[in-house]
Amino acid sequence: MRSRSRPVPDAHGKERAVAQARLWERLAQWMFLVPAVAYLLLFFGYPIVKNIVMSFQQYTTTTFYTGAAPFVGLENYSEILSSDLFSKALLTTVLFTAGSICGQFVLGLAFALFFQRSFPLGRVLRSLLLLPWLLPLVVAGTTWRWMLDTDTGVVNNALRDLHLLPSGTPWLTGTSQALVSVILINIWVGIPFNTTILYGGLQDIPTHLYEAAKLDGAGPVTSFRYVTWPLLRPVVSVVMVLGVIYTVKVLDIILVVTGGGPANATETIATHSYELSFQQFEFGRGAAVSNVLVVISLVFAVVYLRANRRAQNA
């Protein structure tokens, strides 16, 4: 019996099959992307657009019943930017952010350099250092508010027992102490993040560079200046940008510990936006304040990254 030979597909059929395969491959790729794109548009894109639109409207509680939100243009921005409370909140935000970032970074870098050396219980201590970062901010803020209480707080009791202070210090009720207190609390919360990221950056630096520097007679300070710091700068850039973007919008700690008081001593742009939106129910003005906060964060990120890039290329 003669075996039947299979028909050989022509060149046109092969091209069509390849085109169909590529089409299905692209469709499969898009199917994987659709959930992520839909998530970003729904939970990030829509709130941002809605917040921008709301900032140009007189959006109050009556809007939820009538559906009417009159367009007011730049009136909301004009009101908030000309108010004395916004100016004070902006200054407080700058002081809070600068103090927190400096403290978190310096102490985080110190801990990262410390844990770079091997010693007994090093891993256990690194794990315990993550505890402030893992705690919910509401829990951390409530704990610190109890600890810093003027009459019953453990901090004042310890200082009195050590005869360092004759009377209780108003850590949270004094206008000159409250801002310092929330800065110190935020530093305590942010140290683990800085330590973790900087420690990972230190692990990527080749050890033979330190050995070569040691052979050349370089001490710890010289090695840090000419080996550690230049190679760690990309990681430092990430830490600084993320730290600032996170810190300028800190809300939980300040609301729980001081509520923005006393006498608006700890009122930041983030807490000011919260009060306008959810206490005074001026959603349009609150949205305008939050948009200003977003612009400040973006401007800092762009300026810092460009300055750091120029420094690296120099």
Side-chain angles (χ1 to χ4, degrees), residues 171-232:
W171 297 107
L172 305 178
T173 57
T175 54
S176 58
Q177 294 92 349
L179 181 58
V180 176
S181 299
V182 293
I183 289 176
L184 292 176
I185 295 172
N186 195 56
I187 289 174
W188 177 80
V189 172
I191 287 176
F193 172 77
N194 285 259
T195 302
T196 302
I197 304 300
L198 293 173
Y199 178 80
L202 291 174
Q203 298 304 304
D204 291 335
I205 299 177
T207 56
H208 66 83
L209 296 178
Y210 292 105
E211 297 173 356
K214 189 175 181 180
L215 291 176
D216 291 338
V221 177
T222 305
S223 297
F224 176 81
R225 180 179 179 182
Y226 294 101
V227 178
T228 303
W229 183 254
L231 297 177
L232 196 63

Side-chain angles (χ1 to χ4, degrees), residues 28-186:
Q29 293 174 353
W30 278 106
M31 290 303 295
F32 280 106
L33 290 176
V34 164
V37 173
Y39 175 83
L40 292 175
L41 291 177
L42 182 62
F43 294 100
F44 289 93
Y46 174 76
I48 292 175
V49 174
K50 182 64 176 179
N51 199 69
I52 294 174
V53 173
M54 191 184 301
S55 66
F56 296 104
Q57 297 174 325
Q58 188 179 354
Y59 206 102
T60 60
T61 52
T62 58
T63 304
F64 294 98
Y65 298 97
T66 63
F71 180 80
V72 295
L74 298 176
E75 182 178 341
N76 291 328
Y77 290 95
S78 177
E79 290 181 1
I80 63 170
L81 293 176
S82 60
S83 66
D84 296 334
L85 183 56
F86 179 83
S87 301
K88 186 175 182 180
L90 178 61
L91 177 61
T92 303
T93 302
V94 173
L95 296 176
F96 176 78
T97 303
S100 299
I101 293 300
C102 291
Q104 293 172 0
F105 178 76
V106 172
L107 294 176
L109 181 59
F111 278 115
L113 293 171
F114 174 74
F115 286 119
Q116 193 179 15
R117 301 180 179 180
S118 299
F119 58 92
L121 300 179
R123 294 183 179 179
V124 176
L125 292 178
R126 286 203 306 268
S127 301
L128 293 177
L129 187 66
L130 295 175
L131 185 61
W133 195 23
L134 299 177
L135 284 177
L137 293 180
V138 175
V139 175
T142 304
T143 304
W144 276 103
R145 185 178 61 183
W146 167 74
M147 293 174 60
L148 296 175
D149 185 83
T150 304
D151 301 321
T152 61
V154 295
V155 174
N156 278 337
N157 290 336
L159 293 176
R160 279 194 294 263
D161 294 340
L162 296 174
H163 303 286
L164 297 177
L165 288 177
S167 59
T169 301
W171 297 107
L172 305 178
T173 57
T175 54
S176 58
Q177 294 92 349
L179 181 58
V180 176
S181 299
V182 293
I183 289 176
L184 292 176
I185 295 172
N186 195 56

